Amino acid sequence: MITKENILAIAKKTILSESEAITKLIDFLDENFYEAVQRIYETKGRLIVTGIGKSAIIAQKMVATFNSTGTPSMFLHASEAIHGDLGMLQNEDIVICISKSGNSPEIKVLVPLLKRFGNILIGMTGNVTSFLAKGSDYVLDTTVETEACPINLAPTSSTTAQLVMGDALAVCLMEMRDFKPEDFAVYHPGGALGKKLLLRVKDMIEHSLKPMVTPDTSIKKAIFEISEKRLGVTAVIENDKIIGIITDGDIRRMLNDVDTIADLTAKDIMSKNPKVVSSETMAVDALNILEDFSITQLIVADNGEYKGVLHLHDILKEGIV
């Protein structure tokens, strides 16, 4: 009978086994790795990553990582390559071929074809004496002593080692390209991540209303302005300058403190020195200001010119948080 303790022990053993395999990769980093990175960085072509079986799945993930970090890449399935897909290969492309054994039938057919095309071949293998290793210009050693699999057959530690070696390549290339968050955003324009890196305040207030009153506006009209524009706030403008803000909260506090509003004007209840951001402010930075000051609206102004109001709901609607 498998107990809770047994299951947790197996899981811990698996994680420890794979972590040890990854740690040993450090000892395999040599001139081959350095030269491979240099060649990929210098090429005017693309990086083609190929493999068979589980290695093909790792190759696809590597391609996704390379593409999103500034290294143009394509996936080529090893079995499809020898049935016509080699036509995608161009003269200056560099090929990474991934195979644990380096001796599978598809690899033995593919390697000579790649060499015939004259492309640089980087072999990533767990067998440095294999057919793939001998046919490669550079060899990335991903040898593991044993799989985490209890019968030492299912690719587990070996595929993790391949994945980590691929990440090491990608990160080195990122550093060499001086890849910045703005560059990352270009390749991730969709979803919350892209919006965090790209969305600015001006993108959210472009079509929004601009509630405003003057200092002498009656409270009744100020309330109408807040209600009509439905942003829970109005700016107080004098001589084209923002001198204050009135929020729903200001109205409620006023009603608690006075018996009549007949003689009150906007300047009597407004809050001076409201929080202001420019339209070029990143949306995520505006969100941080809202959270830091526990407020729900920000006045938007460029060089003192009133542009509108950014509401917390505008940011939440974009799915940034």
Side-chain angles (χ1 to χ4, degrees), residues 37 65-66 69 165-177 179:
V37 171
T65 300
F66 284 128
T69 54
M165 188 65 78
D167 285 344
L169 287 171
V171 172
C172 287
L173 290 164
M174 285 180 69
E175 293 278 359
M176 294 172 75
R177 300 184 199 285
F179 201 79

Side-chain angles (χ1 to χ4, degrees), residues 78-120:
S79 64
E80 298 299 328
I82 59 179
H83 291 286
D85 281 4
L86 269 178
M88 67 186 283
L89 206 60
Q90 298 177 3
N91 289 339
E92 295 191 74
D93 291 344
I94 292 178
V95 181
I96 295 179
C97 185
I98 309 173
S99 172
K100 178 188 176 181
S101 71
N103 289 318
S104 62
E106 294 86 356
I107 298 301
K108 287 187 174 182
V109 173
L110 180 60
V111 169
L113 293 175
L114 292 171
K115 298 307 293 180
R116 187 183 305 167
F117 275 87
N119 296 83
I120 292 173

Side-chain angles (χ1 to χ4, degrees), residues 129-140:
T129 62
S130 64
F131 186 87
L132 172 60
K134 292 176 180 177
S136 297
D137 297 292
Y138 307 103
V139 178
L140 304 180

Side-chain angles (χ1 to χ4, degrees), residues 214-219 222 246 261-270:
T214 67
D216 296 325
T217 300
S218 69
I219 294 300
I246 300 174
I261 65 172
D263 297 325
L264 294 177
T265 61
K267 65 184 175 185
D268 296 320
I269 68 166
M270 71 179 186

Side-chain angles (χ1 to χ4, degrees), residues 43 55 72 96 102 133 174 194 200 209 221 230 278 313 315 318:
T43 186
S55 295
I96 295 179
M174 285 180 69
R200 297 182 184 274
L209 299 173
K221 289 184 178 179
R230 304 179 66 178
S278 77
H313 293 162
I315 299 177
E318 292 293 341

Side-chain angles (χ1 to χ4, degrees), residues 200-211:
R200 297 182 184 274
V201 168
K202 65 181 179 182
D203 301 317
M204 293 182 287
I205 66 162
E206 184 177 0
H207 303 295
S208 69
L209 299 173
K210 294 168 60 177

Side-chain angles (χ1 to χ4, degrees), residues 211-227 229-237 242-255 264-275 296-299 306 309 311:
M212 65 176 79
V213 296
T214 67
D216 296 325
T217 300
S218 69
I219 294 300
K220 184 177 180 179
K221 289 184 178 179
I223 293 173
F224 283 155
E225 180 72 358
I226 293 173
S227 299
K229 302 299 171 60
R230 304 179 66 178
L231 289 168
V233 66
T234 182
V236 183
I237 308 293
I242 302 164
I243 65 168
I245 187 174
I246 300 174
T247 68
D248 281 339
D250 294 324
I251 299 295
R252 287 193 297 271
R253 284 186 289 273
M254 173 204 65
L255 293 174
L264 294 177
T265 61
K267 65 184 175 185
D268 296 320
I269 68 166
M270 71 179 186
S271 299
K272 297 180 180 179
N273 303 315
K275 300 302 176 190
T296 55
Q297 302 102 341
L298 285 170
I299 295 293
Y306 179 43
V309 174
H311 198 287

